């Protein structure tokens, strides 16, 4: 199976949609200002710290404890309808290119699952998975079920979405821009690190991961897919 793992925030969309949800007017009616401020501070710390990342998601789960799932779904829908016009121009052509090449596309993000699934739906991605919180009787319990942005999180999503043994990692495609993406970027045979934060560039260079910008990512993706196809054809020809 040929899979394509796509990050969302800062890669396909210019903004972190999870933070856009928390910063919306509707959210202020659901979440108290002090918790909002703490989440904003932790988000900044999490950009360069694994410890900060854990603290951010724990705080997020605790903040939503007791809220109805329906309220967060409505919030996600409202924010996505507002933010969808700002999706990067390369996003849809990139997804279409991967589909034409026979890839199963997976959108995996640290943003809330409620909005990630909407983005996947509207962009035509085969499946989407974001941060999921435990629910009971329609309300959030304050506990995390799945957090793709935490270490090992994106691998866990992959294991839930497809049969890992069926994945051909030599032709797997991965696109991301942050620390949580490095694991899958390093494993995938075709990977691009998109406009990374400075502290991630060294890791990318160490692992030999190519870097891309919004101006080059579509053409670089097409080049990777073309090179992979050519190599596969040569392999088949050599076995005749």
């Amino acid at each position: 199976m040929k899979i394509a793992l796509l990050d969302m925030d800062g890669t396909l969309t210019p903004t972190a949609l999870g933070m856009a949800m928390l910063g919306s007017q509707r959210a202020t009616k659901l979440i108290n200002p002090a918790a909002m401020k703490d989440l904003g501070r932790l988000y900044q710390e999490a950009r360069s710290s694994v410890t900060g990342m854990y603290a951010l998601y724990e705080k997020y789960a605790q903040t939503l404890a007791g809220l109805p799932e329906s309220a967060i779904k409505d919030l996600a829908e409202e924010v996505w309808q507002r933010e969808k016009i700002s999706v990067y121009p390369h996003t849809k052509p990139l997804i279409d290119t991967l589909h034409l090449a026979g890839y199963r596309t997976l959108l995996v993000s640290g943003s809330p699952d409620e909005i990630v699934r909407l983005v996947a739906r509207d962009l035509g991605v085969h499946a989407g998975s974001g941060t999921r919180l435990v629910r009971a009787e329609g309300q959030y319990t304050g506990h995390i079920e799945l957090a793709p942005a935490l270490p090992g999180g994106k691998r866990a999503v992959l294991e839930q979405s497809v049969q890992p043994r069926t994945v051909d990692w030599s032709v797997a495609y991965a696109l991301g821009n942050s620390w949580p993406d490095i694991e899958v970027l390093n494993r995938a045979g075709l990977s691009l690190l998109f406009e990374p934060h400075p502290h991630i560039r060294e890791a990318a260079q160490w692992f030999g991961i190519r870097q891309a910008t919004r101006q080059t990512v579509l053409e670089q993706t097409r080049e990777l897919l073309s090179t992979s196809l050519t190599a596969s054809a040569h392999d088949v020809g050599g076995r005749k």
Side-chain angles (χ1 to χ4, degrees):
M1 177 187 295
K2 296 197 298 185
I3 62 165
L5 296 166
L6 306 172
D7 178 46
M8 184 178 75
D9 298 330
T11 303
L12 302 183
T13 64
T15 56
L17 295 182
M19 293 308 295
M21 286 175 63
L22 293 174
S24 70
Q25 186 64 33
R26 184 189 287 259
T28 61
K29 300 175 182 178
L30 299 170
I31 303 171
N32 72 68
M36 247 356 165
K37 185 176 181 179
D38 285 343
L39 286 168
R41 174 181 55 80
L42 289 170
Y43 174 74
Q44 293 303 321
E45 293 176 2
R47 293 167 71 90
S48 59
S49 164
V50 174
T51 301
M53 190 76 75
Y54 277 102
L56 170 64
Y57 284 97
E58 287 176 3
K59 181 64 177 180
Y60 169 69
Q62 293 166 5
T63 299
L64 266 59
L67 291 179
E69 181 184 10
S70 59
I72 301 303
K73 285 185 173 180
D74 289 344
L75 173 61
E77 184 73 54
E78 177 185 286
V79 170
W80 171 233
Q81 291 306 317
R82 185 184 71 233
E83 296 289 336
K84 66 193 304 182
I85 61 171
S86 64
V87 167
Y88 282 132
H90 65 255
T91 296
K92 197 63 173 70
L94 176 73
I95 293 168
D96 291 342
T97 295
L98 291 165
H99 288 166
L100 285 172
Y103 280 79
R104 174 172 173 76
T105 48
L106 304 174
L107 183 65
V108 186
S109 171
S111 277
D113 192 63
E114 292 81 3
I115 198 166
V116 176
R117 289 179 180 271
L118 296 177
V119 178
R121 177 198 69 190
D122 289 353
L123 294 182
V125 176
H126 290 126
S129 187
T131 299
R132 291 201 301 266
L133 303 182
V134 178
R135 302 172 299 280
E137 298 181 352
Q139 294 185 329
Y140 297 104
T141 66
H143 300 286
I144 299 170
E145 179 180 333
L146 179 69
L150 296 181
K154 296 208 170 185
R155 184 179 67 249
V157 169
L158 178 64
E159 291 172 351
Q160 290 185 11
S161 302
V162 299
Q163 292 291 334
R165 292 181 180 178
T166 68
V167 174
D168 184 351
W169 282 101
S170 69
V171 295
Y173 175 89
L175 178 69
N177 72 339
S178 60
W179 279 116
D181 300 310
I182 292 294
E183 180 181 21
V184 291
L185 289 170
N186 187 42
R187 189 174 184 187
L190 313 175
S191 59
L192 291 171
L193 186 62
F194 183 82
E195 298 185 356
H197 300 301
H199 60 277
I200 300 173
R201 290 198 184 105
E202 287 188 11
Q205 292 169 353
W206 176 264
F207 288 117
I209 301 170
R210 295 176 63 181
Q211 298 181 38
T213 67
R214 64 196 74 181
Q215 289 80 25
T216 68
V217 64
L218 185 56
E219 185 58 34
Q220 285 180 274
T221 295
R222 288 170 175 160
E223 288 176 2
L224 285 173
L225 298 179
S226 176
T227 300
S228 174
L229 184 61
T230 301
S232 296
H234 285 166
D235 288 343
V236 171
R239 290 195 294 268
K240 289 181 179 179

